[in-house]
Amino acid sequence: MPLHLLALDASSSACSAALLRQDDSGTECLARFEMTPRAHTRRLLPMVDEVLAEAQVTPSQLDAVAFGRGPGSFTGLRIAAGAAQGLAFGLDCPLLGISTLEALALQAHRRYHLRHVVTALDARMGEIYAATWHCLKDTITPMSAEAVLAPEALRLPGDETDWVGVGSGFSLWDRFTVDVQLSMPQHLGDLEPRAEEMAWLAARDFAAGLGQSAHLVQPVYLRNDVAWKKPA
């Protein structure tokens, strides 16, 4: 079944947009990504215009819109959510909110073939947004719930010792416990969430019937939920 899905993200210092197109000839994803601190409002919608123009797709052809729903920068999440909600409402198409931490895990898995991934974003105030994932053949399975916590409070599930840390939260590396550091021989602090991976995750969710009306999809901030919990 043909699909045109637009994804956008402004959850970090980066800003990005992606158009995933699926038809009988296959699937491709056209994307724009820039490091644009404090310029998300100025760059986000022009990026949307650019990927649509490159794909020769008009807004009316979109089947769904997705955005990075968080966790991440409060201001950036509101910018992306407002733009995505406006587009989905105006086009009368479903909206999907995609976890920035899951998108980061998929990016790390696809780039570096990682299996056990800890994604962590700098949450300011000495805390991180974090989650753990098992990655296999583009399938990302959560091993713990997303949480905001101090780096010292992070605990890794299971007995694996091949975890790789990904994201800006690892700028606080010295504050993680020795046990976590020993189980994580490598950490990559320079990766940022991208709309490209969000588009692939949104296509999965759209196929599963998880698209919602625009007003029902909201950013996820995590600030009111500080417990580290395993998923039900």
Side-chain angles (χ1 to χ4, degrees), residues 106-179:
L106 178 59
Q107 180 186 164
H109 174 57
R110 285 187 161 185
R111 281 194 184 190
Y112 303 111
H113 310 291
L114 304 180
R115 184 174 59 164
H116 296 106
V117 177
V118 183
T119 50
L121 297 172
D122 189 349
R124 310 301 179 187
M125 297 187 283
E127 294 181 317
I128 57 174
Y129 302 117
T132 58
W133 313 87
H134 179 263
C135 309
L136 181 66
K137 297 180 179 178
D138 283 357
T139 298
I140 311 300
T141 303
M143 302 297 290
S144 59
E146 299 178 355
V148 56
L149 70 168
E152 297 90 341
L154 178 68
R155 300 292 182 269
L156 300 178
D159 299 323
E160 291 83 4
T161 57
D162 61 342
W163 292 96
V164 177
V166 177
S168 59
F170 290 98
S171 62
L172 302 173
W173 176 250
D174 291 342
R175 291 183 49 194
F176 291 91
T177 66
V178 172
D179 286 345

Side-chain angles (χ1 to χ4, degrees), residues 5 63-67 69 81 84-98 202 205-220:
L5 186 149
D63 298 293
V65 176
F67 73 102
R69 52 90 166 150
Q85 286 171 333
L87 286 166
F89 182 79
L91 298 169
D92 192 25
C93 70
L95 181 63
L96 301 109
I98 301 300
D205 290 352
F206 180 75
L210 299 180
Q212 295 180 284
S213 298
H215 70 282
L216 296 177
V217 186
Q218 301 295 327
V220 173

